[in-house]
Amino acid sequence: MSVVAVIDYGMGNLHSVAKALEHVGARHVEVTSDAERILAADRVLLPGVGAIRDCVSELRQLGLDQVVRQVATDKPLLGICVGMQMLLEHSEENGGVDALGLFPGQVRFFGDELREADGQRLKVPHMGWNQVKQTIDHPLWHRIEQDARFYFVHSFYADPGKHVAGRCHYGVDFAAAVADDNVFATQFHPEKSHTNGLQLLQNFLAWDGRW
């Protein structure tokens, strides 16, 4: 039986993510902080909400940062929201936080005076639905239209420089998704994104880590 492990480090919408996975066909979802169970799973999901400092601290305190590194070498891994940001090298949040460094790049603050080119002032956090432009052909985009809308909630955005799988615009262009080998991660919340988000999770269940 295929097992999906949702990493439980005390942060993230664990219940809603697990329910969304079950809704799209996952038969065995384990929400767990047990390293052996995570490493034994067929696929792994790294969620995250809240302050990145707390997320990284809890992950490291439980020794799960090394588990994530191991998973990233040999099985499909999906990061969501702060779970994506933690995969980069560094974040400006909380005065500066070193993250896991699986992807190059920085996580930057939208700013207190975020505006569009026409001068329109934008609220921070970026909260609500926005379009995502797919920048690569990837199995997790299967059956999802170009410029499909997904649900975002974040005050900081990823600027990885490369490995971008999807882009979004909110005052600035930023990475809505990143991908490399068997790792895929999204800034948006697929579990809150209705049809498009559920399709992405269904694609994740079918993905063998190759593309």
Side-chain angles (χ1 to χ4, degrees):
M1 179 182 293
S2 180
V3 176
V4 183
V6 178
I7 299 179
D8 180 5
Y9 58 101
M11 312 288 289
N13 296 323
L14 305 178
H15 178 75
S16 59
V17 169
K19 287 299 182 184
L21 287 167
E22 291 171 352
H23 181 77
V24 297
R27 295 187 177 182
H28 196 118
V29 179
E30 289 191 6
V31 178
T32 180
S33 60
D34 185 281
E36 291 186 2
R37 295 171 79 105
I38 296 168
L39 293 172
D42 300 283
R43 291 170 182 79
V44 176
L45 192 148
L46 176 64
V49 297
I52 193 171
R53 176 184 57 198
D54 297 335
C55 290
V56 171
S57 176
E58 290 298 318
L59 200 70
R60 286 176 173 154
Q61 185 173 343
L62 293 168
L64 295 177
D65 56 326
Q66 295 304 319
V67 172
V68 172
R69 295 179 194 282
Q70 178 61 43
V71 168
T73 68
D74 61 10
K75 65 186 64 184
L77 171 65
L78 175 62
I80 294 177
C81 197
V82 179
M84 166 180 159
Q85 295 182 0
M86 287 194 296
L87 299 180
L88 275 66
E89 294 171 309
H90 186 267
S91 175
E92 293 179 350
E93 190 175 359
N94 303 126
V97 175
D98 288 330
L100 301 183
L102 298 184
F103 287 86
Q106 307 289 315
V107 178
R108 306 187 189 280
F109 182 41
F110 276 119
D112 294 319
E113 294 292 332
L114 184 65
R115 296 180 184 272
E116 286 290 9
D118 62 3
Q120 177 190 359
R121 186 168 181 176
L122 301 173
K123 294 181 179 179
V124 177
H126 172 215
M127 181 181 298
W129 296 86
N130 207 337
Q131 292 180 310
V132 173
K133 181 173 292 296
Q134 301 165 25
T135 58
I136 61 172
D137 183 14
H138 193 281
L140 265 68
W141 294 134
H142 178 60
R143 298 183 66 183
I144 299 175
E145 293 183 358
Q146 182 66 279
D147 297 321
R149 296 173 70 84
F150 293 89
Y151 189 80
F152 293 82
V153 183
H154 61 123
S155 298
F156 294 78
Y157 66 91
D159 182 15
K162 56 182 180 178
H163 302 302
V164 178
R167 288 198 175 277
C168 186
H169 181 83
Y170 190 71
V172 297
D173 289 327
F174 66 90
V178 294
D180 187 32
D181 295 331
N182 53 292
V183 181
F184 193 95
T186 67
Q187 180 63 69
F188 56 81
H189 286 270
E191 78 280 8
K192 296 181 179 180
S193 297
H194 299 324
T195 302
N196 293 322
L198 293 176
Q199 181 63 58
L200 189 143
L201 292 177
Q202 188 174 52
N203 294 341
F204 176 61
L205 295 181
W207 185 38
D208 63 4
R210 295 179 292 181
W211 53 288

